[in-house]
Amino acid sequence: MKNLDSRKGTTEAHSRHTRRDLGLVMGGGGARAAYQVGFLRHVAKHSPDLQIPFIHGVSAGAINAAVLASHHGTFAQAVDELSILWRDLTVDEVFRVDTRSLLLNSIRWLGRLGGGGVRSDLLNVRSLVDTSPLDAYLSEALHAVDRELTGVQYNLDHRGLEAFAVTTTSYSTGSSVTWLQGREIETWERPQRETRRANITVNHIMASAALPLLFPAIQLDGDWYGDGGIRLTAPLAPVLHLGARKIIAISNRYDRSRQEVNNTSIRGYPPPAQVAGILLNAVFLDLLDHDALRLERLNRLVEALPESQRHGLEPIKLLVLRPSVDLGRLASQFEIKLPRSIRFLTRGLGTRETDSPDILSLILFQEDYVSTLMEIGEADAASRHEEIMEFLEG
């Protein structure tokens, strides 16, 4: 009887951790996406065989999503590999940091701005930095075969994955384009939003993570695409369309208190770094909060209606995780270890003139900062352990 009860308990636990309606959403924020890995590490310790049928990533979160969707092993093994990927990542493996490369790009930009459009094609200006090192790093880390993430199809066929999607922004049309690979998943269209079926490649991940102007756009199907967070006004929508009815969304945005909001972060006139940080937060991080609020209100409306009047709508369960500390403000403590050439440029933008250099946190791909973010993410998940486990187990 003891062995029978043990088998029964194992079966029930397995059933709880293979729910067919669970979705995971991971947004952008550059290096701040390492925080998401810390959260996943805590979950993996307690649910090593967790299966997530629907995975959507955007911007830097697309990198994390790609590892989870393409890894052949268990959830715990995928998270371990993701931890190693971030731990070993350095600034010079994301973009070229040598003075010559940065200087040439800066000269080309100045030439284009001062040339009045004359022969601008000769300058070949695409971005402030060269991200070819990140392309090579991801190709190896994601075990790409001819650029394709073949592990995604394997997991669709064998390991319970239903759909994997990444979102980009078309610089040709201004639309948000979600690239979808899945089983029996219908495409959808909304104003300024569309989906396309594809075998996800390294190019799709690079495009989704291509920070505007800073990183170069990537060509997909003949058009040029950049960071998916630019026009994604409803960050939860893609995973909902895929079929998720329970969603975990990991935000990299610290929820400041009223007192913190009222405290000024700058001294004197706002430097470019402060303005750019606010803009980037608005584009990549703030929209999740608005979308979560809309979903909460919709749930209340649906729950107030009789079943016969819901027209197929049903409440969606949502769990949003966010940092307990300001990751942008934290970045200033690690700035001193940036390569000298990058430090020269960031300080020129005024990162030392603000207490919360959010723009700095986007490019701070270095071991000490990344490791700290993962530790914070793991600690934050531990503080909400019971809530997270209850959510997963239904």
Side-chain angles (χ1 to χ4, degrees), residues 24 26 36-45 47-48 50 52 64 67-68 71 73-87 374 378:
L24 177 63
M26 290 182 286
Q36 299 167 352
V37 183
F39 165 80
L40 295 172
R41 286 199 313 203
H42 176 82
V43 175
K45 286 180 182 178
S47 299
L50 177 68
I52 305 176
N64 295 338
V67 173
L68 296 182
H71 196 279
T74 64
F75 177 68
Q77 290 168 338
V79 173
D80 283 342
E81 184 160 326
L82 187 56
S83 297
I84 294 171
L85 183 154
W86 279 94
R87 185 195 66 200
M374 288 194 289
E378 197 164 4

Side-chain angles (χ1 to χ4, degrees), residues 98-342:
D98 57 286
T99 304
R100 180 178 182 275
S101 175
L102 292 172
L103 185 60
L104 283 175
N105 279 346
S106 298
I107 291 174
R108 291 190 184 110
W109 271 111
L110 289 173
R112 183 181 181 90
L113 292 172
V118 178
R119 306 295 297 180
S120 59
D121 56 318
L122 297 178
L123 295 173
N124 194 29
V125 181
R126 293 189 173 183
S127 61
L128 184 60
V129 298
D130 178 356
T131 56
S132 56
L134 179 61
D135 188 291
Y137 188 78
L138 289 181
S139 296
E140 181 178 356
L142 296 173
H143 311 289
V145 178
D146 295 329
R147 309 288 293 172
E148 183 181 340
L149 308 189
T150 55
V152 174
Q153 190 59 50
Y154 176 86
N155 288 335
L156 287 170
D157 294 335
H158 302 287
R159 298 197 61 85
L161 182 67
E162 294 289 336
F164 169 51
V166 296
T167 297
T168 62
T169 299
S170 170
Y171 285 144
S172 301
T173 66
S175 297
S176 175
V177 180
T178 297
W179 304 86
L180 165 66
Q181 186 172 354
R183 297 191 298 154
E184 301 179 0
I185 303 295
E186 295 183 1
T187 58
W188 66 89
E189 287 191 16
R190 296 291 185 272
Q192 296 300 316
R193 286 187 281 154
E194 62 178 284
T195 52
R196 297 184 189 177
R197 294 186 181 277
N199 290 333
I200 304 296
T201 67
V202 174
N203 287 352
H204 293 92
I205 308 303
M206 288 291 295
S208 185
L211 293 167
L213 300 180
L214 187 64
F215 291 0
I218 304 296
Q219 194 169 33
L220 300 170
D221 291 351
D223 289 325
W224 294 94
Y225 294 85
D227 198 298
I230 300 174
R231 291 301 300 270
L232 187 58
T233 55
L236 300 175
V239 79
L240 281 170
H241 283 293
L242 294 180
R245 292 299 173 264
K246 292 180 62 173
I247 303 173
I248 294 178
I250 312 176
S251 172
N252 302 317
R253 181 74 151 122
Y254 171 65
D255 188 15
R256 294 188 296 169
S257 67
R258 174 68 61 180
Q259 181 178 357
E260 290 172 314
V261 169
N262 293 332
N263 289 338
T264 181
S265 299
I266 59 173
R267 297 167 291 279
Y269 190 82
Q274 179 73 7
V275 177
I278 292 174
L279 288 173
L280 292 172
N281 279 336
V283 169
F284 298 122
L285 302 179
D286 293 350
L287 292 176
L288 176 59
D289 293 330
H290 299 305
D291 208 17
L293 181 60
R294 284 196 297 266
L295 182 59
E296 180 184 348
R297 289 175 174 172
L298 181 59
N299 280 341
R300 291 176 183 171
L301 290 174
V302 171
E303 290 168 350
L305 291 173
E307 290 278 353
S308 60
Q309 297 181 22
R310 292 184 179 182
H311 302 288
L313 294 176
E314 56 184 297
I316 304 298
K317 296 180 180 179
L318 174 65
L319 180 64
V320 178
L321 287 304
R322 61 178 70 257
S324 58
V325 298
D326 189 333
L327 305 184
R329 186 179 294 269
L330 185 67
S332 60
Q333 301 177 22
F334 300 89
E335 180 257 7
I336 191 64
K337 292 187 179 180
L338 275 172
R340 182 176 297 179
S341 55
I342 299 298

